[in-house]
Amino acid sequence: MFLVTDAAGHVGKAVIAELTQQSVPVRVLIQRPSEPPTLPAGAEIVHCNLADAASVQRAVEGVEAIFLACPSMPQITESQLRLVHAAKAAGVSRVVQLSCAGADAQICCARMLRWYGEAENAIAAIGPHVTRLRPTIQMQTLLEFAPSIAQHGLIAGPFRSTQWTWIDARDVAAVAVAALRDPRHAQHAYVITGSESLSYHQVAARLGAVLGKTIRYNDITANEARGWLQGKGVSPVMIEATLEFWDACASNLINIAPTNVVQEVTGREPRSLEDFARDYRTQFGATAE
């Protein structure tokens, strides 16, 4: 039995899907019972309040390993520590921790990367055997622009002309599942990328080629991006953290070259941007093939 957290995240959803497809018992931790995600048949749901020790203990009982993920937020370390302390007490010895490429507890100019780095260090200090996954930017983040792509053929952001190394969240999940199932991945850290780096201009052109429409990228200022995030209801602290992260990537502070991790761990090549676009074409307003 594997425990999966952050079932609403792109990687978490894909981990659950892959485990159930492989007929592996999976327990899904749900923190907000009023907003349960749609889960595949066979997934066990456990409702958990991380502030309630008894609730956390029930979630980890009988678990072989944990896929530990958390939305980007200042409380990543606190949230993950509560679960891992209980897991260790219950005899769970392995954790597959979803982090971020560039995670660094000492970084000063990108607090999101600092939060992930602090969480990595905190979990390592407790003592379970950890596999750290550090993916680059996920293709699924492009779904944030789906309405403007569908309506106006437009991606707008403060991303400049920098080339970003992309990865499909489903490929991150495939590596995570391999690490959950095989203890030999313990104590490894994997920087997970796709096979190429692309600027947003190139992404727009290649999405358009698959979707059969013209899509363009428009570079905007940080203040314009701040207004867009405010309109989406993002909290002030997360707006600033997101802008810092985008600026760190766009200024090549995090310059991650493609790796072979997906091929080496799963035995297959990572998905291309075209694969992603075809699979999500209806979300971008294109007709199904």
Side-chain angles (χ1 to χ4, degrees):
M1 171 75 73
F2 297 120
L3 178 66
V4 176
T5 65
D6 193 23
H10 294 300
V11 178
K13 285 189 289 188
V15 168
I16 295 165
E18 184 135 348
L19 286 172
T20 54
Q21 287 169 7
Q22 296 180 21
S23 299
V24 176
V26 56
R27 179 182 296 163
V28 181
L29 187 150
I30 303 296
Q31 293 188 61
R32 297 182 178 87
S34 60
E35 303 175 9
T38 301
L39 298 175
E44 174 189 330
I45 296 176
V46 58
H47 297 291
C48 180
N49 177 358
L50 292 181
D52 177 9
S55 172
V56 177
Q57 199 64 42
R58 285 194 298 271
V60 299
E61 286 176 355
V63 168
E64 177 183 345
I66 299 175
F67 174 70
L68 187 65
C70 184
S72 296
M73 61 179 186
Q75 301 84 14
I76 292 175
T77 299
E78 178 186 354
S79 175
Q80 294 192 349
L81 276 176
R82 288 177 177 173
L83 190 63
V84 175
H85 273 301
K88 185 179 179 182
V92 181
S93 61
R94 293 192 297 114
V95 170
V96 177
Q97 183 182 27
L98 183 65
S99 185
C100 179
D104 182 352
Q106 304 303 318
I107 199 167
C108 62
C109 54
R111 72 191 80 176
M112 194 180 295
L113 298 179
R114 186 168 66 250
W115 296 337
Y116 280 111
E118 290 168 348
E120 284 190 9
N121 292 349
I123 300 308
I126 295 177
H129 297 296
V130 182
T131 307
R132 294 187 185 88
L133 309 183
R134 297 171 179 152
T136 49
I137 186 168
Q138 296 173 27
M139 296 176 190
Q140 280 73 6
T141 61
L142 294 168
L143 296 172
E144 295 285 339
F145 304 102
S148 64
I149 288 173
Q151 297 170 22
H152 309 295
L154 178 66
I155 299 173
F159 308 123
R160 308 177 198 169
S161 59
T162 304
Q163 292 200 326
W164 303 56
T165 307
W166 299 82
I167 180 67
D168 193 299
R170 294 170 295 179
D171 292 326
V172 181
V175 175
V177 169
L180 286 169
R181 301 197 67 180
D182 188 345
R184 290 177 296 180
H185 293 287
Q187 309 294 60
H188 286 73
Y190 294 125
V191 177
I192 310 173
T193 80
S195 59
E196 58 187 341
S197 300
L198 302 168
S199 70
Y200 271 83
H201 291 284
Q202 292 171 310
V203 166
R206 288 171 63 168
L207 280 178
V210 173
L211 301 177
K213 62 186 296 182
T214 299
I215 300 174
R216 61 188 178 88
Y217 169 68
N218 181 37
D219 206 57
I220 62 176
T221 67
N223 276 337
E224 290 172 316
R226 182 178 286 107
W228 176 66
L229 292 169
Q230 288 171 340
K232 290 170 61 67
V234 179
S235 69
V237 66
M238 285 310 304
I239 288 174
E240 298 312 313
T242 301
L243 291 175
E244 289 171 0
F245 175 73
W246 286 346
D247 187 61
C249 293
S251 61
N252 277 323
L253 177 63
I254 311 166
N255 189 5
I256 307 294
T259 69
N260 294 321
V261 167
V262 175
Q263 171 69 43
E264 292 170 352
V265 174
T266 71
R268 60 167 177 77
E269 294 292 330
R271 292 171 175 86
S272 67
L273 183 70
E274 284 76 10
D275 294 330
F276 164 80
R278 282 188 288 268
D279 290 344
Y280 288 87
R281 59 183 296 115
T282 56
Q283 283 93 320
F284 291 113
T287 56
E289 290 185 316

